[in-house]
């Protein structure tokens, strides 16, 4: 007597562990989403991808507009020239100092300003408007106001604080004034981002911590900061990337004199003033790589706090 095995003809759907199989409707919805996003994605790639690719190509060329017939593929020679140049590393160190110091001050002042704007009960709209005025002023205009304020004989700050000296002609005072201009201009932006994080902190959680005996500082460190971690990441990331590309304030205040030139200033001098597209593009690519590394480090350091991450820290 033979036995007949019951073999089902229905196709078995296999799904990867942890990933439930999508229904036909869900797959159609996903395809429609890709089709709708495709035109915008194509335009973004064309607008941002082509200039990046062209800059990388120029960085591999000896390309000086003063000698248009002397163009030649030189490989990584431009990178070797820039990375072995002391002016580049001086500008890089200046940029790092300006970025770290200004962003650290902005984080502290921005948090204080965010707490004030968040807790203000009377005239909240007026307080927020006044606090955000510096951020609404064009950077070049604000830089010129600081420049004239610190110019001897005509500047009120120079006459009061600097006496007969010219602070914008010395290294340390110049750096301090550049940082002051950066902090004054962008602290409201930092405060705005942090205030969005403060809105995520539940009042019930703070009241529960207070009932457990936590003082104000303990509630801030143990309750508010962990909840605000994603907002702090966004604020720090945006400001660090923006501060590393500093150009306007240095260009107006010192013109890059007294070793206050940044990497963006060096790139401008080579590209626009020197008409050296090869070296200038090489510096642009190096700035792009540095900015990408900064973003990667921030995402890795903050782990699950990064927007879009799951509990395992994966994106």
């Amino acid at each position: 007597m033979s036995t007949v095995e019951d073999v089902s003809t229905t196709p078995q759907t296999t799904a990867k562990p942890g990933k439930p199989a999508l229904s036909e409707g869900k797959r159609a919805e996903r395809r429609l989403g890709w089709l709708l996003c495709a035109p915008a994605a194509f335009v973004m790639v064309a607008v941002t991808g082509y200039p990046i690719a062209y800059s990388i190509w120029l960085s591999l060329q000896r390309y000086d507009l003063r000698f248009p017939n002397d163009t030649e593929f030189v490989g990584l020679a431009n990178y070797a020239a820039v990375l072995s140049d002391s002016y580049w590393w001086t500008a890089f160190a200046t940029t790092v100092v300006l970025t770290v110091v200004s962003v650290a001050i902005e984080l502290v002042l921005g948090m204080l300003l965010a707490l004030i704007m968040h807790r203000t009960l009377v005239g909240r709209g007026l307080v927020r408007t006044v606090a955000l005025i510096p951020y609404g002023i064009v950077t070049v205009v604000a830089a010129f106001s600081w420049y004239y304020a610190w110019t001897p004989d005509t500047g009120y700050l120079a006459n009061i604080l600097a006496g007969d000296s010219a602070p914008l002609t010395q290294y340390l005072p110049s750096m301090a004034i550049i940082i002051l201009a950066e902090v004054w201009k962008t602290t409201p932006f930092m405060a705005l981002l942090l205030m969005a994080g403060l809105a995520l902190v539940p009042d019930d959680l703070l009241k529960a911590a207070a009932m457990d005996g936590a003082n104000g500082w303990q509630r801030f460190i143990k309750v508010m900061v962990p909840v605000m971690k994603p907002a702090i990441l966004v604020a720090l990331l945006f400001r660090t990337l923006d501060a590393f590309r500093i150009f306007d304030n240095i260009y107006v205040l010192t013109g890059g004199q007294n070793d206050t030139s940044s990497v963006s200033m060096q790139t401008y001098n080579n590209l626009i003033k020197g008409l050296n597209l090869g070296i200038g593009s090489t510096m642009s690519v190096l700035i792009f790589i540095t900015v990408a590394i900064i973003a990667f480090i921030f995402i890795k350091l903050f782990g699950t706090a990064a927007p879009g991450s799951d509990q395992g820290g994966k994106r």
Side-chain angles (χ1 to χ4, degrees):
M1 184 176 182
S2 62
T3 59
V4 179
E5 295 182 358
D6 183 16
V7 180
S8 175
T9 57
T10 304
Q12 298 294 322
T13 57
T14 58
K16 295 181 179 179
K19 287 187 176 181
L22 296 177
S23 63
E24 185 60 33
K26 200 71 176 178
R27 284 197 291 269
E29 185 178 337
R30 180 167 291 187
R31 282 196 298 271
L32 177 61
W34 280 109
L35 289 175
L36 292 176
C37 293
F42 176 78
V43 171
M44 288 183 64
V45 170
V47 171
T48 62
Y50 174 75
I52 293 173
Y54 190 57
S55 295
I56 294 174
W57 172 248
L58 285 177
S59 70
L60 303 175
Q61 307 283 323
R62 182 171 64 203
Y63 199 158
D64 193 328
L65 288 181
R66 295 170 299 177
F67 312 101
N69 296 326
D70 193 22
T71 303
E72 181 184 2
F73 181 82
V74 293
L76 299 177
N78 287 334
Y79 290 91
V82 172
L83 294 176
S84 60
D85 186 79
S86 61
Y87 288 105
W88 167 260
W89 288 112
T90 302
F92 191 88
T94 300
T95 306
V96 171
V97 170
L98 290 174
T99 301
V100 172
V101 176
S102 62
V103 172
I105 296 174
E106 288 167 17
L107 177 62
V108 176
L109 296 181
M111 184 64 78
L112 291 174
L113 189 58
L115 288 170
I116 292 172
M117 290 193 294
H118 183 69
R119 294 297 180 187
T120 299
L121 298 178
V122 179
R124 176 178 294 183
L126 179 64
V127 171
R128 293 181 179 181
T129 302
V130 171
L132 294 175
I133 285 177
Y135 189 65
I137 299 176
V138 178
T139 304
V140 174
V141 175
F144 270 110
S145 70
W146 285 107
Y147 174 79
Y148 290 120
W150 287 103
T151 301
D153 298 330
T154 59
Y156 64 96
L157 289 176
N159 294 333
I160 295 174
L161 302 176
D164 296 331
S165 63
L168 289 175
T169 61
Q170 305 168 42
Y171 175 70
L172 287 179
S174 298
M175 291 287 286
I177 292 172
I178 292 171
I179 291 172
L180 175 64
E182 279 286 298
V183 170
W184 180 83
K185 176 73 173 65
T186 52
T187 294
F189 175 70
M190 181 77 83
L192 200 63
L193 295 177
L194 294 176
M195 195 171 65
L198 282 173
L200 300 175
V201 181
D203 287 336
D204 294 340
L205 203 58
L206 294 173
K207 291 176 182 176
M211 291 181 66
D212 289 339
N215 57 33
W217 176 251
Q218 289 172 329
R219 292 198 297 274
F220 176 74
I221 295 297
K222 302 291 184 182
V223 178
M224 298 175 72
V225 170
V227 176
M228 293 177 60
K229 212 172 173 184
I232 294 174
L233 168 66
V234 172
L236 282 177
L237 182 60
F238 281 14
R239 270 305 300 143
T240 302
L241 299 184
D242 191 40
F244 191 82
R245 296 179 290 108
I246 181 173
F247 177 84
D248 317 54
N249 279 319
I250 296 177
Y251 183 83
V252 173
L253 289 170
T254 66
Q257 302 298 318
N258 314 316
D259 290 335
T260 57
S261 181
S262 65
V263 288
S264 295
M265 283 287 297
Q266 289 287 337
T267 305
Y268 168 82
N269 290 335
N270 280 276
L271 270 175
I272 306 301
K273 289 185 175 179
L275 301 179
N276 193 331
L277 300 187
I279 295 294
S281 298
T282 302
M283 292 180 173
S284 299
V285 173
L286 290 174
I287 294 174
F288 175 76
I289 293 173
T290 306
V291 166
I293 292 173
I294 292 173
F296 177 78
I297 292 173
F298 265 90
I299 297 298
K300 282 297 179 184
L301 282 180
F302 278 80
T304 56
S309 299
D310 58 20
Q311 293 301 317
K314 298 178 180 178
R315 296 184 63 75

